[in-house]
Amino acid sequence: MTDFFNGVPALSYEGPETDNEFAFRHYNPDEVVLGKSMRDHLRFACAYWHSFAWPGGDPFGGQTFERPWFGDSMEHARLKADVAFDMFQRLGVPYFCFHDADVRPEGSSFAEATRNLEEIVDYFAQKMDETGIKLLWGTANLFSHRRFMAGAATNPDPDVFAYSAATIKTCMDATMRLGGENYVLWGGREGYETLLNTDMGRERKQAGAMLQMVVDYKHKTGFKGAILIEPKPQEPTKHQYDYDVATVYGFLKDFGLEGEVQVNIEQGHAILAGHTFEHELALARELGIFGSIDMNRNDYQSGWDTDQFPNNVPEMTLAYYEVLRAGGFKTGGTNFDAKLRRQSLDPADLILAHVGGMDACAAGLKAAAAMLQDGKLEAARKDRYAGWDTPAATAMLDSDLTSIEAMVRNAKLDPKPRSGQQERLENLVNRYL
Ligand code: XLS
Ligand code: NI
Ligand code: NI
């Protein structure tokens, strides 16, 4: 325990009627929903970077947070870990996620960075042992340092490609050492600013080669976790090669990796891509690449990735509905890729942000489970497509245009439009909230 959260009350589940802000209203880890505890459904994780490494800057101003662990020494890194594990325990969050750059000082060489990472990983291992907290996923930060400004795998300079590959190896090693359940690749700068200086064909091939190496290393080392790509459009580079789920699937198909790699879908990234979160989740499920989620909330007006803590229960209900339809998480989970607003300075703000997010997820999960169990929504969906359940209709999918034309003439087909009943279904969904 550290003294950072001194004065912040301990948390427990008190139910929807409680007046205590330091309590869960919906997240009751042992409560069983559709045959599984909420803990096992939601598989919450805290993101190290937003809660412990981000200084509170925006494009017009720098650091607003003053944290005793801000600094470049290993001592700072250990204090940061102490506070992080203190928070995970207080919240009762079973998992965490981190980038190399969040947890260790960079040092002055690749060798030093790796040594620092290994030292902190040993420190984590000890804490994980003591607390039972687990690693949902590890990842490499291949976007913050200026060496990555023109990309990591997609860089025009082969030395940067090499540096990135070596860094990924050290981060996969760290993830495996800690028993991580997934390894994530977010292509922060895998994209371009202007076509005038960009060879798109080369860059895509380089990214494909890097991903193949990651998959090969997974098999070589026997890593049991999933490899996940996290799609995101237009930020930080104007044109990202991993724009959304559909784009990532096309990329995986191109390189023959659709059976090897899944996606980590983030709410805010879905919104930036012009989709809803549930669209991205449903598509990933249909394509067989659903892996995990980064839970947050994007501002609908600002046009950039605001990474706010989630609190919109109706939207989250639709998201968890798709997670449940996908059969729930296997290796994946709910990672709060969310940060405080820069004026939220107090230690209690960090706790309350997570409490609110966990509660909103739990409320969404419960509503989604009730909706699924009740079956009315699925019955309406099924009914809409019922015409396709006849043998003649199914056979048509393997037919040809000439035969279908003959059939339409012979049967004198005259299709009758039917209501899509959107408002009726929207009303139905509201009944579960
Ligand atoms: C940034 C991404 C990032 C990934 C991990 O927008 O969401 O935080 O989740 O690199
Ligand atoms: Ni993310
Ligand atoms: Ni993001």
Side-chain angles (χ1 to χ4, degrees), residues 6 14 54 70 83 90 102 105 114 133 135 147 175 182 187 193 208 218 258 265-266 305 308 331 350 362-363 405-406:
N6 273 1
E14 294 184 9
W54 182 63
F70 282 173
V83 176
R90 284 168 181 270
D102 311 331
T114 307
I133 287 159
L135 178 64
R147 76 171 69 86
T175 302
N182 307 269
E193 297 296 340
K218 166 188 155 136
E258 69 276 15
I265 304 170
E266 180 166 319
D305 192 13
Q308 288 160 260
T331 62
L350 204 46
E405 192 212 13

Side-chain angles (χ1 to χ4, degrees), residues 259-403:
E260 297 281 1
V261 178
Q262 300 166 2
V263 281
N264 179 41
I265 304 170
E266 180 166 319
Q267 196 275 358
H269 299 182
I271 304 307
L272 285 179
H275 301 302
T276 59
F277 195 18
E278 62 270 23
H279 164 88
E280 290 290 80
L281 295 166
L283 182 58
R285 182 193 65 238
E286 295 302 337
L287 296 171
I289 57 169
F290 171 67
S292 196
I293 64 177
D294 269 8
M295 182 52 96
N296 56 24
R297 169 173 50 113
N298 209 43
D299 186 281
Y300 282 108
Q301 286 83 38
S302 73
W304 58 287
D305 192 13
T306 56
D307 287 332
Q308 288 160 260
F309 276 87
N311 70 0
N312 188 328
V313 177
E315 286 184 357
M316 291 156 79
T317 299
L318 297 179
Y320 280 109
Y321 191 73
E322 296 306 326
V323 171
L324 290 175
R325 286 184 75 209
F329 295 121
K330 311 250 160 19
T331 62
T334 302
N335 171 45
F336 288 110
D337 196 349
K339 60 180 182 251
L340 294 172
R341 298 306 86 193
R342 70 197 291 268
Q343 299 179 56
S344 302
L345 303 179
D346 298 343
D349 292 324
L350 204 46
I351 299 288
L352 289 173
H354 284 92
V355 168
M358 290 163 76
D359 253 350
C361 288
L365 173 75
K366 283 194 285 189
M371 205 150 89
L372 200 62
Q373 203 156 30
D374 206 25
K376 290 197 180 72
L377 188 61
E378 285 322 296
R381 195 196 312 266
K382 195 159 180 286
D383 183 57
R384 188 160 182 247
Y385 293 87
W388 279 101
D389 292 338
T390 64
T394 312
M396 188 165 58
L397 295 176
D398 296 315
S399 183
D400 59 85
L401 296 185
T402 315
S403 324

Side-chain angles (χ1 to χ4, degrees), residues 5-42:
F5 294 110
N6 273 1
V8 178
L11 302 165
S12 61
Y13 172 74
E14 294 184 9
E17 303 310 324
T18 184
D19 204 30
N20 178 7
E21 58 179 344
F22 289 94
F24 294 107
R25 287 167 168 69
H26 298 283
Y27 182 58
N28 186 8
D30 294 315
E31 187 179 321
V32 174
V33 174
L34 294 180
K36 208 156 81 172
S37 71
M38 283 194 178
R39 182 190 291 105
D40 292 345
H41 267 294
L42 293 163

